[in-house]
Amino acid sequence: MPFPNADTVLAGATVRTLDPRRPLATAVAIRDGRIAAVGEEADVRHWRGPSTQVVDLGGATLTPGLTDGHTHVVKGLELAQGIDLSGCKTLEQLRAALREAARRAAPGSWITGWNLDHNTFEGGPISRHLIDDVVGGIPTFLRLYDAHSALVGSAALRAAGVDGPRRFDQGASIVCDPDGRPTGHLVEQAAMETVAALIPGPSPTERRKHLLALLADMAATGLTGGHVMDLETPDALDLLTAIEDEGVLPLRLRIAPWCQPGAGTGELDRLIALQERAGRQWRVAGVKLFLDGTVEGGTAWLDHPDCHGAGNEPFWPDPAAYTRAVHDLDRAGVPTATHAIGDAAVRHVLDTVQALGTPHARHRAEHLETVPDDQIPRFARLGVAASMQPAHATYARADHSDEWSRRLGPERAARAWRCRDLRAAGATLVLGSDWPVAPYDPRRVLAAAQLRRHPGDSGTPPVRADQALTPSAALEGYTTHAARAAGEEDIAGRIAPGYRADLTAFTLDPLTTAPDELADAPIRLTMSGGHITHRTLSGHR
């Protein structure tokens, strides 16, 4: 029987299929958004038809498409507003950046910024008094890099009518001084929203343009998909639908809306009903829950309080209510992803899944910044995927002088981001960026997973070098393990007939190239759903 003509043939490559039945090839045929055949150069002529596009990859290494296992592509447009403050390493650098922003600010505008490192404050209090004199009367809202806290100026507090502490359902707080006056430090989403809700935003047309540009930029780094851990922007699905009405969504998006503490039957029913929403390249598939916040913000749920006496409470005032919510979602076949940074939070996620007996859905835990020895083997035993972001570890320091390590103390800081231990124990380990908390470029995340430091910064000691991943384990975190965490291992994460045509072509081989070099290596081609979404070559046959 003759082979049906392919829509596209990718040839001239080293094809690392991650399929144990055929690990290597040199050419791939794609038809109707699926991989139709995997073979050698001699097979290409049999796959061609009059309309087949044949692309010569010029010796590139073709892998399964890279999927970011934890990202916020729509909400992130809001979170990443204003000045990128990641370059501010000292308080004086921050003040200089704000002084310049104030000079350029238009009348009636706000100063906004993001990606501000907690270490900028060198262990001191995060206070509006540090910035008020350089921003003058301009309302100012600065998100810290964890996206769970912010520093706002006095003018912003006045505009929002925030003049003292408030009570929130989740573990949020408006930090106040001994006299009850807000310091300008807002911790967790509910507290931040008291001020953030006032910040002027772009129009729907502008947001659609920005989102499409962001996804195209992500495709240029080799990303073909992402597990989106929120649906908090009210028009998010409308934005995605509008883009698909006009063309192709550059990334395949799997979206998990938030389930907030206190969610009752009505809210759970709404989340279950949302699972039916889908487009060509996106679908709602899962629910994101929060058991805690962040170490630096003092809201991680810990077995023992941190050095400031914080971290002894979960986000859900009654942890049993979280467990009931997960069980209700599981009965409906809805997978869950739970934000769990502290050791107590990690344990409670695992206890919750263990109590299910035989789950009806896939469940996963996000971040896992400090995990005790006795919890490591439970991930594989219970089938709970570990979702981690190697770039987060690079915000810490090997000598424990950073804010994260100081708050936890040396014993817990020594359990930092145990990627290798989880893989060695047989856990599914999906990797991602948590953009905009960290840069989305998967090449830099793959490098950080192997280096345990920022790529290109060889003078900085690695954080827990013994937890470095091998090149293959790092690549699997973006491919086969990302697919397994989503329950899609039979259709995604490998280059094999019948699998989705989500593919990434590296100019350098990610399994043999030094991580520092891989971090900056160009991507030759990206394909999502059979559509070429990025390309830097012009070869045809």
Side-chain angles (χ1 to χ4, degrees):
M1 179 180 297
F3 183 88
N5 294 155
D7 299 323
T8 307
V9 170
L10 303 179
T14 297
V15 182
R16 291 197 177 275
T17 68
L18 303 193
D19 179 2
R21 295 167 296 185
R22 181 172 190 162
L24 292 171
T26 60
V28 178
I30 295 102
R31 181 180 174 86
D32 295 332
R34 299 275 177 164
I35 295 168
V38 180
E40 305 301 327
E41 292 294 305
D43 299 316
V44 171
R45 63 186 180 88
H46 302 298
W47 301 341
R48 294 181 61 166
S51 61
T52 300
Q53 178 185 30
V54 181
V55 180
D56 189 335
L57 292 176
T61 297
L62 189 69
T63 72
L66 304 181
T67 295
D68 189 322
H70 189 120
T71 187
H72 301 275
V73 293
V74 181
K75 181 71 171 176
L77 292 174
E78 171 191 326
L79 300 180
Q81 282 191 65
I83 315 165
D84 183 351
L85 297 169
S86 59
C88 297
K89 304 303 181 185
T90 67
L91 182 57
E92 282 310 307
Q93 289 175 340
L94 171 61
R95 285 169 56 82
L98 296 178
R99 187 180 293 111
E100 177 63 16
R103 187 182 69 82
R104 295 174 176 271
S109 66
W110 284 57
I111 295 174
T112 58
W114 60 290
N115 222 353
L116 177 59
D117 194 335
H118 285 80
N119 295 307
T120 301
F121 302 96
E122 299 176 349
I126 299 172
S127 170
R128 57 190 166 86
H129 298 303
L130 300 173
I131 63 171
D132 273 351
D133 63 316
V134 293
V135 300
I138 303 173
T140 301
F141 185 100
L142 311 176
R143 291 185 188 274
L144 280 86
Y145 75 80
D146 61 1
H148 282 250
S149 55
L151 169 59
V152 302
S154 295
L157 290 171
R158 286 194 299 271
V162 177
D163 56 7
R166 296 184 185 181
R167 184 175 182 83
F168 301 100
D169 289 336
Q170 57 173 265
S173 65
I174 294 170
V175 180
C176 294
D177 63 21
D179 295 324
R181 293 187 297 259
T183 65
H185 187 195
L186 308 179
V187 180
E188 298 301 340
Q189 299 298 328
M192 288 191 289
E193 195 59 26
T194 60
V195 176
L198 301 181
I199 300 173
S203 69
T205 300
E206 291 173 320
R207 294 182 66 250
R208 184 165 70 246
K209 177 183 176 181
H210 294 166
L211 177 58
L212 185 56
L214 170 66
L215 295 177
D217 287 346
M218 287 180 160
T221 68
L223 285 172
T224 66
H227 297 169
V228 181
M229 292 297 164
D230 67 77
L231 189 58
E232 294 308 289
T233 306
D235 64 346
L237 300 187
D238 294 335
L239 283 175
L240 297 175
T241 300
I243 291 173
E244 288 200 320
D245 285 344
E246 298 173 358
V248 175
L249 199 66
L251 265 65
R252 184 186 306 280
L253 303 178
R254 181 183 176 89
I255 304 166
W258 287 355
C259 177
Q260 298 281 20
T265 301
E267 174 63 5
L268 293 175
D269 288 343
R270 184 188 72 84
L271 291 169
I272 292 167
L274 271 175
Q275 307 299 308
E276 300 174 3
R277 299 289 303 275
R280 295 192 304 276
Q281 280 273 89
W282 63 267
R283 61 175 298 202
V284 179
V287 166
K288 167 79 177 297
L289 303 97
F290 292 81
L291 257 180
D292 65 353
T294 67
V295 170
E296 295 93 331
T299 53
W301 187 18
L302 304 169
D303 284 335
H304 307 288
D306 65 22
C307 69
H308 295 295
N312 54 354
E313 294 182 354
F315 262 25
W316 291 65
D318 176 11
Y322 158 85
T323 297
R324 289 192 296 272
V326 171
H327 284 216
D328 287 345
L329 291 166
D330 181 79
R331 279 192 292 272
V334 177
T336 67
T338 299
H339 175 116
I341 279 180
D343 40 25
V346 172
R347 181 178 291 104
H348 194 76
V349 173
L350 297 171
D351 289 347
T352 293
V353 174
Q354 182 171 321
L356 286 169
T358 302
H360 295 89
R362 302 280 177 101
H363 302 285
R364 49 192 277 177
E366 310 296 314
H367 307 312
L368 313 174
E369 292 187 1
T370 177
V371 182
D373 290 345
D374 62 344
Q375 300 305 303
I376 294 288
R378 297 183 72 195
F379 283 87
R381 188 164 67 244
L382 297 172
V384 175
S387 172
M388 301 184 74
Q389 299 74 46
H392 286 189
T394 64
Y395 288 101
R397 298 170 186 162
D399 65 1
H400 296 171
S401 64
D402 59 285
E403 183 66 13
W404 183 89
S405 300
R406 284 197 300 260
R407 290 199 74 131
L408 283 181
E411 179 183 351
R412 287 181 293 203
R415 306 194 302 238
W417 291 278
R418 300 177 68 175
C419 296
R420 193 180 190 101
D421 287 345
L422 284 160
R423 271 300 303 253
T428 295
L429 178 64
V430 54
L431 301 183
S433 67
D434 198 16
W435 185 83
V437 173
Y440 54 71
D441 192 328
R443 296 165 297 182
R444 300 191 72 79
V445 178
L446 290 170
Q450 299 170 62
L451 297 168
R452 302 288 291 195
R453 58 165 171 80
H454 286 296
D457 189 11
S458 59
T460 298
V463 176
R464 285 295 305 270
D466 62 306
Q467 293 303 313
L469 293 178
T470 64
S472 59
L475 181 61
E476 287 164 359
Y478 266 90
T479 53
T480 54
H481 281 230
R484 191 188 304 166
E488 297 180 336
E489 60 267 39
D490 293 333
I491 59 169
R494 289 191 169 90
I495 301 177
Y499 278 58
R500 291 195 302 230
D502 297 345
L503 302 163
T504 301
F506 294 82
T507 52
L508 301 177
D509 189 335
L511 297 189
T512 61
T513 301
D516 283 308
E517 187 178 1
L518 176 65
D520 296 315
I523 296 296
R524 188 150 291 173
L525 178 140
T526 309
M527 174 178 281
S528 186
H531 298 279
I532 295 175
T533 55
H534 167 74
R535 184 174 176 181
T536 59
L537 73 166
S538 57
H540 291 266
R541 294 186 190 177

